[in-house]
Amino acid sequence: MAVVFQGIGATAALTSATSVDSKKLYILSRRLVSETKSTFMVVRSDGRLNSGSNRRAQKLITNAVATKADSSPATKPGHELLLFEALREGLEEEMERDARVCVMGEDVGHYGGSYKVTKDLANKYGDLRVLDTPIAENSFTGMAIGAAMTGLRPIVEGMNMGFLLLAFNQISNNCGMLHYTSGGQFTIPVVIRGPGGVGRQLGAEHSQRLESYFQSIPGIQMVACSTPYNAKGLMKAAIRSENPVILFEHVLLYNLKERIPDEEYILNLEEAEMVRPGEHITILTYSRMRYHVMQAAKTLVNKGYDPEVIDIRSLKPFDLHTIGNSVKKTHRVLIVEECMRTGGIGASLTAAINEYFHDYLDAPVVCLSSQDVPTPYAGTLEEWTVVQPTQIVTAVEQLCR
Amino acid sequence: MALTHRSSNLLKPLSAAVLRRTFSTDTITVETSVPFTSHNCSPPPRTVETTPAEMMSFFRDMATMRRMEIAADSLYKAKLIRGFCHLYDGQEAVAIGMEAAITSKDCIITAYRDHCLFLARGGTLVETFAELMGRKDGCSKGKGGSMHFYKKESGFYGGHGIVGAQVPLGCGLAFAQKYSKEEHVTFAMYGDGAANQGQLFEALNMAALWDLPAILVCENNHYGMGTAEWRAAKSYAYYKRGDYVPGLKVDGMDAFAVKQACKFAKEHALKNGPIILEMDTYRYHGHSMSDPGSTYRKRDEVTGVRQERDPLERIRKLILSHDLATEKELKDTEKEIRKEVDEAIAKAKESPMPDPSELFDNVYVKGFGVEVFGADRKEVKSVLP
């Protein structure tokens, strides 16, 4: 089945997608769909088809996730959990493993974390190791950096990423630059994490995307998690990294459920994730927009397109290796991000792709980002500040014409 | 004390008798210039015990610092030192007194006026001058500059350019000391200009909340660059501004007062948490080399302080009054130091500039087997360390 599916994709690539062909493809894919008795199919990174569960068929967003090895009986079943639990599991494993790992932030201790990421950790590890700080972002981030200079490995939680703007001086000057300005004497193995992004009508100040502000700071690494699997892996990798890492989470993704392996794993901080291989167009995305892209991908597949979706995960530095290989294959790039249009991650990525892979592009790089407005409170307006699946579909159709 | 040992490496054998003479370790009792004023605690006694050896080393070290800063002044004017250069002459007693009271496991963190503190913590003259001139042999390999001197092995954590940002870092150092249950303290130093920074009070709140062994030292030289303290702060009794945190006002031009205060503060911090020390000191130079230092204060004021309160002169008088050395011997020591400093400068000048290939060194610590830059990585792999 996988072969047949890929064959359809290949034919579509060779001939330019005319309306006749796409109808044929549509009919073919409908037949395939009815044969498997599920409403969608996901082509996995190793080429095998994976059908989602019928029960969750109605919830479009979560079902678009490419799940890791769980359906074949040969592999371990793993355990199912929500994204914030995955983060907590990763954090707890690292705290168990290394006594120097500590957490500091507002309400992380007794309260358990405003998104429950540090729930019960204070009971287990004590108040000094899971430290409830006063509301003083500038100084507790500074404190974490000072502690890191001596060898501790603190994790700073910003209750909302937007609050970390108050700590910008510490993050930029001390966190990012101390390793360099001290000639390599000090390493700052700090992890700064917190939820950001446009949530459910939280208002302008609580819906900020700080990736764009931090991306030029030399000396830090930035990653964004999007699934429970990569959340746990990236959290562990960030804690073990000797560099300062900023881990961007998203307010709306904390309750995503996924089955993750029982055995210990960490993910590479600088690697991108191939969500769905394809032939026609490379769609680069990260964090919440991954789900909008996958939702659009469903529509696109039904219309006969074969998008390759990559979750870039590493926002600084970009995984130009994976992205480059993809661009060399598909020759068209669409970037879908939640960051602002001006000076966002997409803008940097566009520049990087144009610089390195200009010869491989058949069409200009299109970047869909959030509008350059403070996020409005009203639901309808908020919806239109971020990129919606319909816009993604339109953009792909235009690019692939 | 460490300074005297280190700088002797650069000496050509000289016949100066003062070097060869061993000084007894009999205690001499000295009184500080003024009694301590305290806030929320009982001040330590005015009488300080010291030894002849210590007094001589104070003199030598302060003279070295003084000489070094003057030499840096000339180097800056000769355009060998560029950028910002903040000189510490006049304030040497703070560095020397503090170093005498603590061990190398205690941490010191300060702002950009860090040359002499670096020296006191065990840095060499060559490293200092090389870093100031941007050479490879500098303590930060030429990449930091005047404001970024660090020495991890001896607990000197810098060297920070942004006013006030080092105080939360200092509380972080104290936090780590408490976390690791070490019986050591951190001295987080800042100036009267930085005393009005919000992050200082935030950090003080946290240090007091968790009883961190942090000692906040305000080096009050009465001018925040060009603004006098009474024009910047409603209350310039900086030792009182901690409110619930005890404070001590110290004559920062008297090395023994500083030593006594730091000893007292260390004991206090290990038992009761943070304490603020206000060092009443003075800088002869302007804020930095770009500032003449005469537009906001009268020349008479500067010369007045130099005559009445100069830390080096004070030690000289004490040494002479206790008959530890003659006037000529002290002068010879100073000549020697001058020679030492000149040799260090010459050696530092020989050091090469960093190679352009070193531009990207130490931006990141490499990990997980992947190159950070460029699109031409061959392999992507993830390894459990």
Side-chain angles (χ1 to χ4, degrees), chain B residues 175-238:
Chain B
F175 175 80
Q177 284 170 330
K178 188 176 176 109
Y179 189 96
S180 323
K181 298 194 176 58
E182 305 167 13
E183 290 289 298
H184 302 298
V185 294
T186 301
F187 286 83
M189 305 175 72
Y190 59 98
D192 48 296
N196 300 315
Q197 275 266 322
Q199 52 190 324
L200 200 143
F201 294 96
E202 291 177 15
L204 197 60
N205 174 43
M206 290 196 283
L209 193 59
W210 301 317
D211 284 326
L212 303 182
I215 298 160
L216 270 66
V217 180
C218 177
E219 292 180 285
N220 184 4
N221 53 28
H222 307 286
Y223 294 95
M225 201 164 93
T227 310
E229 54 177 350
W230 53 271
R231 291 182 64 226
K234 182 75 180 171
S235 155
Y236 45 91
Y238 298 111

Side-chain angles (χ1 to χ4, degrees), chain B residues 181-301:
Chain B
K181 298 194 176 58
E182 305 167 13
E183 290 289 298
H184 302 298
V185 294
T186 301
F187 286 83
M189 305 175 72
Y190 59 98
D192 48 296
N196 300 315
Q197 275 266 322
Q199 52 190 324
L200 200 143
F201 294 96
E202 291 177 15
L204 197 60
N205 174 43
M206 290 196 283
L209 193 59
W210 301 317
D211 284 326
L212 303 182
I215 298 160
L216 270 66
V217 180
C218 177
E219 292 180 285
N220 184 4
N221 53 28
H222 307 286
Y223 294 95
M225 201 164 93
T227 310
E229 54 177 350
W230 53 271
R231 291 182 64 226
K234 182 75 180 171
S235 155
Y236 45 91
Y238 298 111
Y239 70 107
K240 283 192 188 158
R241 283 171 74 176
D243 188 21
Y244 40 82
V245 174
L248 197 66
K249 189 169 165 132
V250 186
D251 179 5
M253 306 296 258
D254 178 359
F256 295 107
V258 173
K259 177 185 162 194
Q260 180 84 318
C262 291
K263 226 186 209 151
F264 170 78
K266 179 168 175 175
E267 282 160 22
H268 184 278
L270 284 174
K271 274 201 309 263
N272 308 333
I275 179 170
I276 299 182
L277 297 178
E278 180 186 337
M279 304 285 177
D280 187 354
T281 181
Y282 201 84
R283 53 167 164 82
Y284 298 142
H285 270 91
H287 164 75
S288 72
M289 287 305 297
S290 339
D291 171 32
S294 50
T295 51
Y296 46 87
R297 51 187 192 176
K298 295 208 167 49
R299 241 173 261 276
D300 297 339
E301 185 188 302

Side-chain angles (χ1 to χ4, degrees), chain A residues 89-97 232 236 264:
Chain A
E89 218 175 73
L91 185 51
E92 198 166 345
E93 281 174 20
E94 289 305 303
M95 287 182 83
E96 195 67 50
R97 181 178 169 269
K232 181 176 173 187
K236 288 171 75 89
E264 198 188 12

Side-chain angles (χ1 to χ4, degrees), chain A residues 270-273 312 314 317-324, chain B residues 374 377 380:
Chain A
E270 294 111 348
E271 194 179 0
E273 188 177 321
I312 59 174
S314 170
F318 293 131
D319 182 3
L320 290 173
H321 184 83
T322 312
I323 294 171
Chain B
R377 284 177 300 143
V380 169

Side-chain angles (χ1 to χ4, degrees), chain A residues 130-146:
Chain A
V130 185
L131 191 64
D132 274 326
T133 61
I135 305 177
E137 281 80 9
N138 195 358
S139 35
F140 71 69
T141 311
M143 235 180 76
I145 296 166

